[in-house]
Amino acid sequence: MDHFDRNFGIGWAMKIVDRAAFGRRVASRRAKLKMSQAALAEAVGMKQQGIVAIEHGDVSRPRMLREIAAALRTTQEWLLWEDGPEEADSPPLIRPGGPERSEVEVAREGWPNTGEPTVEVRGVSVGGSDAFFYMGDIQDLVKRPPGIRHARNVVALYVTGSSMEPRFRSGELIYIQDRMPAPGDDVVVELHPEKDGDPPKSFLKELVKLTPRHILCKQHNPARAVEFDRAEVRKLWRVLTLRELMG
């Protein structure tokens, strides 16, 4: 057995860690989630051999401990010492067939009142605690700000609901672009439709982290984390900033 602060490199109080028991708990959580060693390795950015070594009790310094605990939906304390509950509080997973009901708002032209009306309003937003958009047919054309005069793959949406207040308020016009965002960017996560022919839902959130299996986001009102399964995400749009719009 090893001293925690020496072999795990984390500044908690010194405490003995049984590497074999730690490995068994990793394997147990992985099995409960029906996750392969390869899938866990991909989710945390490791090689599969690293997961094998951890589960065999051969690793004295797992560098991705926090990521492993998050992927296994547990805590570092439970993995290391079986302290506290096994199941960690996890963000809700938003699915294409979720319970939200749509509230369609008539699209109208809004700020910024510059440029030519050439940007398509491709959807209308839906209110509620998990406000989403239906990315459907063209609802309107709004004016193109000077900063995106020549930008491609840009569409516009109107915000309803309050889940992203005070950053975005109901009735506000936002411009989004089909380009890869970075953590900290505001995004619209467009899901695959639940059924063929249905308009896809899209959610306005702030991007926290991209993993091979999930898109982790947060909202502001109420403040909480939310999660999307990447296999159910059709497209990830980046919300353009005021500086980008005005040039």
Side-chain angles (χ1 to χ4, degrees):
M1 294 192 293
D2 298 291
H3 285 89
F4 175 69
D5 65 341
R6 182 181 72 242
N7 291 311
F8 287 80
I10 301 175
W12 291 345
M14 182 178 291
K15 195 172 182 179
I16 299 299
V17 175
D18 184 328
R19 291 185 298 177
F22 167 69
R24 288 193 297 270
R25 285 189 285 272
V26 170
S28 172
R29 283 299 300 168
R30 181 179 58 77
K32 285 184 178 181
L33 296 175
K34 298 181 179 179
M35 182 183 295
S36 67
Q37 290 177 332
L40 177 57
E42 184 180 14
V44 302
M46 294 177 59
K47 294 182 178 180
Q48 183 176 348
Q49 296 94 315
I51 301 299
V52 172
I54 288 172
E55 293 186 357
H56 285 174
D58 298 333
V59 175
S60 61
R61 189 183 177 93
R63 299 180 183 275
M64 308 297 288
L65 178 60
R66 180 180 301 176
E67 290 79 2
I68 292 170
L72 294 176
R73 301 185 184 277
T74 187
T75 66
Q76 298 175 66
E77 293 89 342
W78 187 86
L79 287 178
L80 292 170
W81 306 299
E82 208 168 3
D83 285 353
E86 177 179 348
E87 297 283 345
D89 292 335
S90 58
L93 181 65
I94 298 179
R95 311 299 298 272
E100 301 86 356
R101 299 180 64 181
S102 64
E103 300 171 0
V104 176
E105 181 179 276
V106 177
R108 61 192 183 282
E109 188 172 336
W111 185 94
N113 192 28
T114 61
E116 295 298 320
T118 60
V119 178
E120 298 172 351
V121 179
R122 275 287 181 178
V124 288
S125 62
V126 178
S129 59
D130 287 316
F132 63 88
F133 301 94
Y134 277 120
M135 300 287 284
D137 297 330
I138 299 173
Q139 304 293 322
D140 199 357
L141 291 175
V142 293
K143 295 184 177 180
R144 181 178 291 270
I148 58 169
R149 185 179 296 110
H150 303 295
R152 297 183 177 182
N153 303 318
V154 174
V155 298
L157 297 170
Y158 289 106
V159 177
T160 65
S162 59
S163 70
M164 287 295 284
E165 288 185 354
R167 187 165 181 82
F168 298 104
R169 297 188 180 278
S170 181
E172 185 173 348
L173 177 69
I174 61 173
Y175 289 78
I176 61 175
Q177 187 175 27
D178 181 10
R179 56 185 284 195
M180 180 57 66
D185 287 340
D186 296 304
V187 295
V188 170
V189 184
E190 181 184 350
L191 304 182
H192 288 287
E194 184 182 7
K195 300 177 182 178
D196 290 341
D198 287 351
K201 294 180 182 179
S202 296
F203 293 79
L204 174 62
K205 304 296 177 189
E206 180 181 333
L207 179 63
V208 174
K209 184 179 180 180
L210 292 169
T211 75
R213 298 185 64 193
H214 295 97
I215 297 174
L216 305 177
C217 298
K218 68 179 181 180
Q219 65 181 42
H220 302 305
N221 185 33
R224 67 168 182 169
V226 294
E227 185 176 82
F228 300 88
D229 187 328
R230 291 193 74 158
E232 297 177 340
V233 173
R234 182 178 184 178
K235 191 175 293 187
L236 191 58
W237 301 80
R238 181 176 175 273
V239 178
L240 298 175
T241 65
L242 175 61
R243 182 175 181 178
E244 290 171 319
L245 293 175
M246 302 312 295

